[in-house]
């Protein structure tokens, strides 16, 4: 048994239902053992002073791309980026890695490849693809948090979409274990690219992915959710189209087991502001206009949208056809939004982005904890040990200064490929320390023997079973 350590501050927020106030959190063997509502700096391992201690962020939608595509990302760089942003747990997606996480063998390959490379705790979703329904229950039993499927082309050949018949087969299997199913909710509606328009203009791409692609898919999600309720909880990933909110609200009012996430980029960027050739802004579904963003924010604040995640989906800059790289692909020109890879890099920078934008819309610190700590932990099935600071929970904390300016310069981007729409953005909120199960894995001020560039020299993260 290890020695008890203390973490203290004049400002501590334990959960979304508590108030900010002084507290000292005592930790032993990675768990919170007791909490005293007093500021006690004497002998504390971490004395945060007036900085805020709150639960570590749980990012439930990250593409780590390992094994197989580590030139896009990898567990070391992804978990470094997470730790630097107060994220103490990340849940990896089942695609863009090779092999895709669609069998127990692929699950085990991923878990093995991550060994000794995790600076935060990491788990993974499995995938639903045509023909793997019999693999789903074994993957759940191995430790997969649930499963993701696509209702349209995923962008990678090794992760094909499923149709309604294939969904029904998969959900019949998931029903045996109350397994959760996540949907990339876009379906073909006949929209296409206008070849007469300039592909380096964002609107050319945006008009090829209209909101009705999401609405059509979400109608199918709700239908399937109703058919298998209450045994197969369903989840809509990265909601972009506010046009789908009426159907979502009606389904929730009906009592269906449906949850919804949106992403930092949909809440902080307007399509009108995307510069020509700036393909770092491309993702699917796309960033939409300011009026749409306002509706998404209203849904975040009223609870219709349950959580906010990064959907960190990086690639090498040449696949973005970015002007900085001079890349080309299949005859595309530099900055071609239509042919560039879709995905936004942002793991570890969501906390200040959400806080800065949200302050203008009435977002509270308690809302922050609800949206990116508690709800995401519950979504990933780790609510009992993550998402709140309470006796018995994992001692996962972020120590940050909500009022401090944060200039997102390239040296603060710790993911592998630095191409992101947020570079040079100024916002409020700076992470100073990140604590995973009682160990400080990131300290902005540390350069001592146990740290290198702010990170603990040892990878102290664990695989989430």
């Amino acid at each position: 048994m290890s020695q008890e350590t203390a973490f203290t501050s004049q400002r501590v927020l334990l959960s979304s239902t508590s108030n900010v106030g002084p507290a000292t959190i005592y930790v032993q063997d990675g768990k919170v053992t007791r909490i005293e509502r007093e500021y006690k700096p004497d002998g504390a391992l971490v004395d945060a002073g007036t900085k805020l201690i709150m639960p570590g962020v749980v990012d439930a939608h990250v593409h780590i791309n390992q094994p197989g595509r580590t030139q896009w990302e990898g567990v070391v760089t992804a978990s470094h980026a997470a730790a630097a942003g107060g994220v103490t747990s990340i849940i990896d997606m089942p695609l863009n890695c090779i092999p895709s996480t669609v069998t127990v063998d692929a699950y085990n390959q991923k878990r093995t490849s991550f060994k000794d490379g995790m600076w935060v705790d990491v788990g993974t979703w499995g995938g639903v693809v045509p023909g793997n329904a019999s693999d789903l229950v074994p993957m759940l039993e191995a430790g997969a948090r649930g499963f993701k499927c696509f209702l349209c082309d995923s962008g990678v050949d090794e992760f094909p979409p499923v149709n309604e018949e294939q969904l029904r087969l998969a959900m019949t299997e998931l029903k045996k274990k109350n397994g959760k199913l996540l949907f990339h909710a876009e379906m073909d509606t006949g929209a296409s690219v206008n070849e007469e328009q300039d592909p380096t203009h964002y609107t050319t791409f945006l008009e090829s992915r209209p909101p009705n692609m999401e609405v059509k898919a979400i109608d199918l999600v709700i239908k399937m959710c109703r058919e298998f309720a209450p045994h197969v909880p369903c989840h809509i990933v990265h909601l972009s189209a506010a046009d789908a909110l009426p159907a979502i609200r009606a389904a929730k009012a009906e009592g269906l087991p449906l949850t919804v996430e949106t992403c930092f980029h949909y809440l902080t960027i307007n399509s009108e502001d995307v510069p020509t050739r700036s393909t770092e802004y491309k993702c699917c579904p796309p960033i939409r206009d300011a009026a749409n963003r306002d509706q998404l924010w209203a849904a975040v604040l009223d609870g219709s949208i349950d959580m906010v995640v990064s959907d960190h989906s990086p690639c090498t800059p040449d696949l973005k056809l970015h002007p900085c790289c001079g890349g080309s692909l299949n005859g595309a020109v530099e900055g071609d939004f239509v042919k560039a890879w879709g995905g936004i890099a942002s793991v570890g920078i969501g906390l200040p982005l959400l806080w800065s934008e949200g302050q203008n819309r009435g977002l509270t610190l308690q809302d922050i904890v609800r949206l990116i700590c508690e709800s995401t932990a519950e979504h990933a099935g780790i609510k009992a040990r993550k998402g709140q600071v309470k006796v018995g929970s994992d001692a996962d904390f972020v120590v940050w200064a909500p009022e401090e300016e944060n200039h997102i310069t390239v040296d603060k981007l710790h993911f592998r490929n630095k191409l992101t729409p947020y570079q040079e953005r100024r916002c409020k909120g700076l992470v100073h320390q990140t604590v995973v199960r009682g160990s400080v894995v990131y300290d902005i001020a540390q350069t001592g023997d146990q740290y290198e560039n702010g990170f603990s020299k040892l990878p102290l993260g664990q695989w989430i079973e």
Side-chain angles (χ1 to χ4, degrees):
M1 184 173 289
S2 64
Q3 184 178 357
E4 188 178 65
T5 56
F7 299 78
T8 192
S9 175
Q10 296 175 47
R11 293 195 296 172
V12 176
L13 180 60
L14 302 175
S15 71
S16 66
T17 58
S18 63
N19 296 318
V20 175
T24 301
I25 306 160
Y26 295 91
V27 174
Q28 193 167 29
D29 296 326
K31 298 286 187 179
V32 176
T33 54
R34 55 195 176 100
I35 301 168
E36 296 182 2
R37 276 297 195 173
E38 294 181 68
Y39 172 55
K40 294 184 173 182
D42 291 346
L45 177 65
V46 171
D47 172 12
T50 60
K51 292 187 283 292
L52 178 71
I53 297 178
M54 75 174 208
V57 177
V58 177
D59 192 341
H61 192 148
V62 177
H63 292 267
I64 296 176
N65 306 326
Q66 181 175 325
R69 285 195 175 97
T70 51
Q71 72 273 28
W72 292 18
E73 193 58 272
V75 69
V76 171
T77 49
S79 63
H80 270 183
V87 180
T88 53
S89 301
I90 53 179
I91 312 298
D92 189 28
M93 281 292 157
L95 71 157
N96 301 348
C97 51
I98 301 174
S100 298
T101 316
V102 295
T103 65
V104 170
D105 181 62
Y107 173 89
N108 288 333
Q109 285 186 56
K110 176 180 283 188
R111 179 174 56 187
T112 299
S113 80
F114 283 11
K115 185 181 179 182
D116 300 326
M118 298 175 286
W119 265 258
V120 301
D121 288 353
V122 183
T124 191
W125 303 104
V128 169
V129 295
N132 83 325
S134 63
D135 294 289
L136 303 182
V137 169
M139 274 195 285
L140 271 179
E141 292 173 342
R145 312 317 306 165
F147 299 89
K148 181 184 183 180
C149 68
F150 272 72
L151 302 179
C152 63
D153 180 65
S154 72
V156 291
D157 293 340
E158 63 271 10
F159 202 95
V162 289
N163 58 31
E164 184 173 337
E165 179 183 355
Q166 292 159 340
L167 271 178
R168 191 166 280 107
L169 288 172
M171 295 177 81
T172 298
E173 291 299 307
L174 292 177
K175 182 178 179 179
K176 298 174 182 177
K177 293 286 186 177
N178 292 327
K180 177 173 285 189
L181 186 55
L182 287 60
F183 294 82
H184 180 120
E186 288 182 289
M187 293 179 72
D188 181 35
T189 58
S192 60
V193 176
N194 185 340
E195 301 293 343
E196 296 182 358
Q197 293 182 344
D198 187 341
T200 67
H201 291 170
Y202 181 70
T203 53
T204 302
F205 163 67
L206 176 61
E207 290 170 2
S208 74
R209 311 285 290 218
N212 64 1
M213 290 181 67
E214 291 187 72
V215 172
K216 179 180 179 180
I218 287 168
D219 285 345
L220 176 60
V221 172
I222 292 170
K223 172 187 172 182
M224 300 301 291
C225 185
R226 182 181 295 115
E227 181 176 335
F228 285 88
H231 304 290
V232 184
C234 295
H235 179 79
I236 297 165
V237 301
H238 50 48
L239 178 70
S240 163
D243 287 0
L245 286 169
I248 288 167
R249 289 183 171 117
K252 285 174 169 270
E254 187 181 333
L256 296 182
L258 179 70
T259 52
V260 183
E261 72 185 43
T262 192
C263 302
F264 302 118
H265 41 275
Y266 300 131
L267 298 174
T268 59
I269 304 171
N270 300 327
S271 60
E272 299 94 326
D273 298 329
V274 177
T276 299
R277 298 180 184 270
S278 296
T279 51
E280 66 267 33
Y281 289 82
K282 180 183 177 180
C283 59
C284 296
I287 293 166
R288 304 191 189 277
D289 63 22
N292 182 88
R293 182 164 73 116
D294 288 343
Q295 292 182 67
L296 291 180
W297 264 108
V300 164
L301 293 170
D302 71 19
S304 301
I305 293 174
D306 301 274
M307 65 199 74
V308 186
V309 297
S310 70
D311 186 14
H312 174 70
S313 186
C315 66
T316 53
D318 62 302
L319 294 179
K320 277 291 192 181
L321 304 175
H322 197 273
C324 73
C325 306
S328 63
L329 182 68
N330 296 330
V333 298
E334 289 184 355
D336 185 329
F337 278 101
V338 175
K339 294 186 176 180
W341 174 263
I344 288 179
S346 61
V347 66
I349 53 179
L351 175 58
L353 293 171
L354 187 66
W355 174 240
S356 298
E357 178 65 31
Q359 285 182 91
N360 301 323
R361 299 173 181 269
L363 191 78
T364 65
L365 289 168
Q366 285 82 359
D367 290 327
I368 290 279
V369 171
R370 172 177 60 86
L371 291 165
I372 65 175
C373 305
E374 295 175 349
S375 293
T376 45
E378 182 173 10
H379 169 51
I382 52 177
K383 178 183 178 182
R385 48 189 164 134
K386 309 283 189 184
Q388 294 184 346
V389 180
K390 60 186 178 182
V391 173
S393 71
D394 287 352
D396 293 352
F397 319 131
V398 53
V399 180
W400 65 297
E403 301 83 9
E404 192 169 344
E405 181 173 296
N406 186 348
H407 183 197
I408 302 175
T409 50
V410 68
D411 59 296
K412 293 181 180 178
L413 301 174
H414 297 283
F415 37 81
R416 185 177 300 281
N417 294 291
K418 314 302 183 187
L419 191 60
T420 174
Y422 296 114
Q423 190 169 328
E424 296 301 327
R425 189 160 179 143
R426 294 182 182 272
C427 47
K428 293 290 187 182
L430 184 66
V431 171
H432 285 255
Q433 292 167 304
T434 301
V435 180
V436 176
R437 285 174 288 99
S439 296
V440 180
V441 298
Y442 174 77
D443 188 324
I444 197 171
Q446 280 285 0
T447 57
D449 291 342
Q450 297 180 21
Y451 293 85
E452 186 173 352
N453 298 321
F455 298 99
S456 61
K457 287 187 177 179
L458 294 177
L460 299 172
Q462 294 181 354
W463 184 257
I464 298 172
E465 300 287 359

